[in-house]
Amino acid sequence: MKKLDKYIIKTFFGPFLFIFSVLFFIFIVNIIWTQMSQLTGKGLTYGEITKLLFYLGMSVVSMVLPLTILLSSIMTFGDFGERYELAAMKAAGISLLRVMMPLLITVSFLAGILFLFSNNIIPDFQRKAKNMLFNIVSSKPAINFTPGVFIDQISGYSVKFDKIYGKEGEKLEGVFLHKNASPYDNQQTIIAKKGKFANAEDRNYLKLILYDGYVYEDNISNKPYEERKKQPNQSVKYDSLVYHFDISELINNAIEKEKITDDYRFQTYGEVNQTLIKNRKSNIVSVSAMASPVISQTNNFVQYIDKTKPVDKVIKEPYKIDTLKKDKKLEVLWGAYNKIESLKSSIESNQNSISDIVKNHNKIVMYQQRIVSYSFTCIIFFLIGASLGSIIRKGGMGLPVIIAIVIFIIFYVLNLTVENISWKGGINPYIAAWIPNMVLFPFSVWITYKALTDSQLFDIEKYKALFKPIIEKFSKPKEHERYQ
């Protein structure tokens, strides 16, 4: 490798590592905000939170890497142009394509790494993150109560709170606690105006302190049936009551115990292929099951129409309203009408089911294709970034950042648009996953051609000269100053 190639690659990786770190941090912060409600108040250690964020953060690499390549390539070649290094290379007989070649090879290598990472690493981390979130929710029930709804997460009890508030949701109002006992055990119900969660000495217990309430209990254990019927209920008023729930069964669930394993996002490219084959077969069975009753009803109606065709064309007088129920033929027609209405409703419900089937299938296809398409996006973004950088000749964090963000927004909006259309069945998912690349690739070739031919693409004076005849045509001539 020549010294020039080493210098170009070294110059590229300086902003690359910095930008990747910044963008990765921004995406992680976004994940923290979206997952904050599931992390706060769960008693998680810093190690568990860090591990969860690490698992979740790996999935953003497929978006962060293309944007990093775009931005760092614009900055690198912009710096070359601003410091006249690019002009010196051209003066020495080195073409822009030769200058881009070492970085093009480097970016192609990074694109290959991204494919391997998206195919093998991200699915595994996605599975771990999903299972970790699931187990956190199921094993940390203290803050998982919904106001006004009965919760049966705690074994043996049904609990309802009218209001939950406080910094960490520890304060309660309108507490209702019922012990789910068998008919032969003591029945117990506890109500309280206020209460709060507190830290128990034993981590396997959930401590609940209740204020100003009643304990309703009927002591029926070890008594004959006739005596139990006569047993009066007991109520005890209290000012404060401490109650401990045994949640050892939930706590003992390992935070990373894998329970969810059948999601297509946890699979490699080849495994998704097998999932698609199985999915297509099950879809055919489902559609056939939905179509069979519709076809049967339609055939029955068609047979009925054939049997009731009029023999002659004698026009009968219309039936009066009060005689409709007495006429058997009208009763049969009314039955046929009801069958048609039920057929319509079944068709509508089938359409909704088919839409769900199409959406699920297209989601799987687009996920699979993006494992490959994002790698090609890296190369396309490099061509656009390197060409724009050599044309605008501006480095630093100013104009290059603005241009990179605009291009990435266009790519991201295209991605979301075709994704939504594909989910509705408007576009083939195999094509939809590649449309953003198909749109940006011709632009990358055109902008690279402009850079190779030293086009003054961002020269304002050039555009002023182009529109000068039109401007002069609509502008009024100015008088000379000495005649004013």
Side-chain angles (χ1 to χ4, degrees):
M1 183 182 290
K2 296 184 178 180
K3 290 184 178 180
L4 180 62
D5 297 336
K6 292 181 180 179
Y7 173 72
I8 293 172
I9 294 173
K10 183 180 178 182
T11 306
F12 173 79
F13 271 102
F16 176 87
L17 296 175
F18 171 73
I19 294 167
F20 185 86
S21 303
V22 171
L23 292 177
F24 189 79
F25 175 76
I26 292 172
F27 277 84
I28 288 294
V29 169
N30 179 58
I31 290 174
I32 292 174
W33 280 113
T34 55
Q35 302 293 337
M36 185 65 71
S37 60
Q38 299 188 42
L39 299 179
T40 56
K42 306 296 183 182
L44 298 175
T45 63
Y46 289 112
E48 290 172 343
I49 294 175
T50 303
K51 189 179 291 186
L52 175 61
L53 293 178
F54 176 73
Y55 290 157
L56 292 171
M58 291 300 102
S59 61
V60 305
V61 172
S62 57
M63 270 293 184
V64 171
L65 186 61
L67 180 57
T68 303
I69 290 173
L70 173 64
L71 188 52
S72 56
S73 58
I74 292 177
M75 291 177 63
T76 300
F77 281 83
D79 285 335
F80 285 159
E82 194 174 18
R83 297 194 299 260
Y84 296 102
E85 292 176 336
L86 200 58
M89 294 177 194
K90 290 181 179 179
I94 302 173
S95 65
L96 178 62
L97 187 62
R98 173 63 184 82
V99 177
M100 293 169 61
M101 192 56 63
L103 287 183
L104 182 60
I105 295 172
T106 303
V107 169
S108 300
F109 178 72
L110 290 175
I113 292 177
L114 179 61
F115 169 75
L116 295 175
F117 191 83
S118 301
N119 189 53
N120 300 300
I121 307 298
I122 290 180
D124 185 47
F125 284 162
Q126 283 275 76
R127 184 181 66 254
K128 290 180 178 179
K130 190 79 171 179
N131 282 282
M132 196 170 180
L133 280 172
F134 175 81
N135 288 303
I136 285 171
V137 171
S138 62
S139 63
K140 306 289 181 180
I143 308 299
N144 290 335
F145 299 110
T146 304
V149 178
F150 277 98
I151 303 297
D152 56 358
Q153 284 180 300
I154 302 174
S155 179
Y157 294 91
S158 294
V159 184
K160 180 176 76 70
F161 306 118
D162 292 338
K163 187 177 179 182
I164 302 175
Y165 61 100
K167 187 177 180 180
E168 295 183 354
E170 74 281 1
K171 296 182 180 180
L172 312 167
E173 285 187 9
V175 179
F176 183 91
L177 171 63
H178 178 70
K179 184 178 180 181
N180 299 325
S182 68
Y184 300 96
D185 294 330
N186 292 341
Q187 307 293 319
Q188 187 183 71
T189 301
I190 300 174
I191 62 172
K193 290 184 178 179
K194 291 185 178 181
K196 69 176 182 179
F197 289 112
N199 294 325
E201 295 181 3
D202 190 344
R203 190 168 178 259
N204 290 323
Y205 287 89
L206 176 64
K207 186 177 180 181
L208 180 60
I209 304 175
L210 304 176
Y211 302 100
D212 193 9
Y214 290 87
V215 178
Y216 298 97
E217 186 173 12
D218 51 349
N219 190 4
I220 61 174
S221 60
N222 300 322
K223 292 183 179 181
Y225 176 72
E226 293 298 328
E227 190 173 345
R228 289 202 303 266
K229 289 197 299 182
K230 300 175 184 179
Q231 176 70 38
N233 293 335
Q234 299 175 3
S235 63
V236 179
K237 189 180 186 303
Y238 61 87
D239 293 327
S240 65
L241 176 68
V242 179
Y243 213 90
H244 288 82
F245 298 99
D246 185 1
I247 56 172
S248 58
E249 183 180 348
L250 297 176
I251 295 297
N252 289 334
N253 288 336
I255 291 297
E256 297 182 64
K257 187 177 181 181
E258 296 184 2
K259 296 181 179 179
I260 308 172
T261 57
D262 57 349
D263 197 305
Y264 63 89
R265 289 168 294 185
F266 308 155
Q267 300 174 343
T268 63
Y269 188 93
E271 290 171 345
V272 175
N273 257 340
Q274 299 299 319
T275 301
L276 283 171
I277 294 172
K278 295 177 182 177
N279 193 46
R280 290 189 186 100
K281 291 180 179 178
S282 64
N283 290 345
I284 292 172
V285 174
S286 300
V287 173
S288 300
M290 287 186 287
S292 296
V294 175
I295 294 172
S296 176
Q297 292 180 41
T298 305
N299 290 338
N300 292 337
F301 179 71
V302 171
Q303 290 175 6
Y304 167 78
I305 293 296
D306 290 338
K307 291 178 181 178
T308 56
K309 283 184 178 179
V311 179
D312 53 359
K313 295 184 180 180
V314 178
I315 300 175
K316 297 182 180 180
E317 294 182 1
Y319 295 94
K320 296 180 181 180
I321 297 176
D322 57 346
T323 62
L324 290 179
K325 295 181 179 179
K326 298 178 181 180
D327 193 282
K328 292 183 179 180
K329 185 175 181 180
L330 285 177
E331 289 180 3
V332 175
L333 289 173
W334 182 254
Y337 173 77
N338 289 334
K339 286 184 178 180
I340 293 173
E341 290 299 317
S342 64
L343 184 61
K344 286 181 180 179
S345 62
S346 62
I347 289 173
E348 289 176 359
S349 63
N350 288 345
Q351 284 177 342
N352 294 331
S353 300
I354 291 172
S355 298
D356 292 338
I357 290 173
V358 170
K359 182 178 181 179
N360 182 59
H361 176 265
N362 291 355
K363 273 185 177 182
I364 299 174
V365 171
M366 292 198 69
Y367 170 80
Q368 182 198 40
Q369 294 303 307
R370 280 176 176 170
I371 294 175
V372 183
S373 65
Y374 282 159
S375 298
F376 283 92
T377 304
C378 294
I379 299 173
I380 294 171
F381 275 6
F382 168 74
L383 294 175
I384 294 174
S387 304
L388 284 176
S390 63
I391 292 173
I392 62 177
R393 297 187 180 93
K394 281 285 183 181
M397 299 295 291
L399 184 62
V401 175
I402 297 173
I403 294 175
I405 290 174
V406 170
I407 294 172
F408 184 77
I409 288 174
I410 294 171
F411 171 79
Y412 190 71
V413 169
L414 274 173
N415 231 350
L416 291 181
T417 303
V418 297
E419 181 181 83
N420 291 328
I421 297 174
S422 174
W423 287 358
K424 295 177 182 178
I427 304 178
N428 187 302
Y430 288 97
I431 298 175
W434 289 89
I435 283 179
N437 286 348
M438 292 165 64
V439 172
L440 290 177
F441 179 70
F443 175 72
S444 68
V445 173
W446 176 76
I447 201 72
T448 303
Y449 170 75
K450 289 293 183 181
L452 292 174
T453 54
D454 293 325
S455 175
Q456 302 298 320
L457 194 62
F458 293 95
D459 189 356
I460 298 176
E461 296 300 326
K462 179 181 178 181
Y463 294 104
K464 284 184 178 179
L466 182 64
F467 291 100
K468 188 175 180 180
I470 301 174
I471 296 172
E472 290 179 348
K473 186 176 181 180
F474 291 97
S475 61
K476 294 181 180 180
K478 295 182 179 179
E479 296 182 359
H480 200 277
E481 290 183 359
R482 71 180 182 179
Y483 294 115
Q484 292 180 354

